[in-house]
Structures are given as C-alpha cells and as structure tokens.
Amino acid sequence: MRSKATANQVDDYLEKLTPEKRLLAQEVRRIIHGAVAHLEECVRWDSACYFFYGPVCYFASSRSGIHFGFFRGKELSDSARRLVSRNGQTPHIKIRTLEDINEGYFADLVREAVLLNQN
C-alpha cells in the first residue's frame, strides 16, 4: 500500500505555478479538502492528485489556467455539464478565473467520485 504523501509535494507543485494559476489551484485544493477530508494528496503525472480506493481527481496547469479533472469523470452525473474531454483526455473542467469556480458543484463532484471508488 502507498504511504501517505506529505502535503509538501503539492505545496512544492503550487510554488512552481504562476501567481494567477497558483491562486486558482489553491482554491480548488481548499474545496477538495473541504469536500472529503480523508483523501491522499500527492503529485503524480505532473499533477496534484487525490486518491481514495484509487484515483479520484486532480488539478494541473494548462495553457490558460488550470484543469480540474476526474479520473472516472465519464461516470459522474455532471449536473452543470462542465466536464470536457478531447482526444482521450481525462474529463476535466477548465478554470481560467476565480469566477469559473463553483464551490458547491465542485464539492459535489468530488464526493460523487469518492463514492464511485468505494462501490
């Protein structure tokens, strides 16, 4: 079994982002931790990743902001229909500004993704 990673990996990842992207990533990170407190947090595949009985979600730098993605995103209900996937990418939400962040919707997606992994 994987050992629990320290938050320092993700802290280091955030430090390498531009200030604008760092602000967006910090807000997404806060929402993830608020939605499900017991997720394992680490850096994998050049992304901040969250695990619980397997991979749950991630955020990663993109050209114009960050992507907030879900490894089983095609199975999520996605009530707001914001998850996109092109060319085999993991379904994700494009976040360019703080206005693109919907705390309730994002937290619901994280909780639903965790439930998928538990079943």
Side-chain angles (χ1 to χ4, degrees):
M1 183 172 169
R2 276 191 288 271
S3 62
K4 186 158 176 99
T6 64
N8 290 337
Q9 284 183 319
V10 175
D11 291 339
D12 292 344
Y13 177 82
L14 291 172
E15 286 301 315
K16 295 174 186 172
L17 298 176
T18 64
E20 297 83 12
K21 291 181 184 182
R22 184 178 314 123
L23 181 64
L24 299 174
Q26 287 170 329
E27 185 63 13
V28 169
R29 184 186 195 193
R30 183 191 64 75
I31 292 168
I32 293 168
H33 285 294
V36 182
H38 57 270
L39 297 179
E40 176 188 343
E41 177 181 65
C42 62
V43 175
R44 295 248 171 89
W45 309 294
D46 200 29
S47 303
C49 296
Y50 296 83
F51 291 81
F52 186 74
Y53 291 107
V56 174
C57 61
Y58 71 91
F59 61 82
S61 178
S62 69
R63 276 184 274 172
S64 59
I66 65 168
H67 287 173
F68 179 34
F70 294 86
F71 293 96
R72 295 179 68 179
K74 291 180 181 178
E75 299 172 67
L76 296 175
S77 58
D78 188 23
S79 60
R81 300 188 160 282
R82 290 188 55 198
L83 289 169
V84 296
S85 177
R86 292 189 191 156
N87 303 323
Q89 291 176 323
T90 305
H92 61 277
I93 298 167
K94 297 177 181 181
I95 302 171
R96 294 181 179 98
T97 68
L98 286 173
E99 289 76 33
D100 293 332
I101 296 174
N102 179 324
E103 184 169 353
Y105 168 62
F106 286 11
D108 287 345
L109 288 174
V110 172
R111 286 189 287 269
E112 185 180 354
V114 166
L115 287 175
L116 282 173
N117 281 4
Q118 285 181 303
N119 296 326

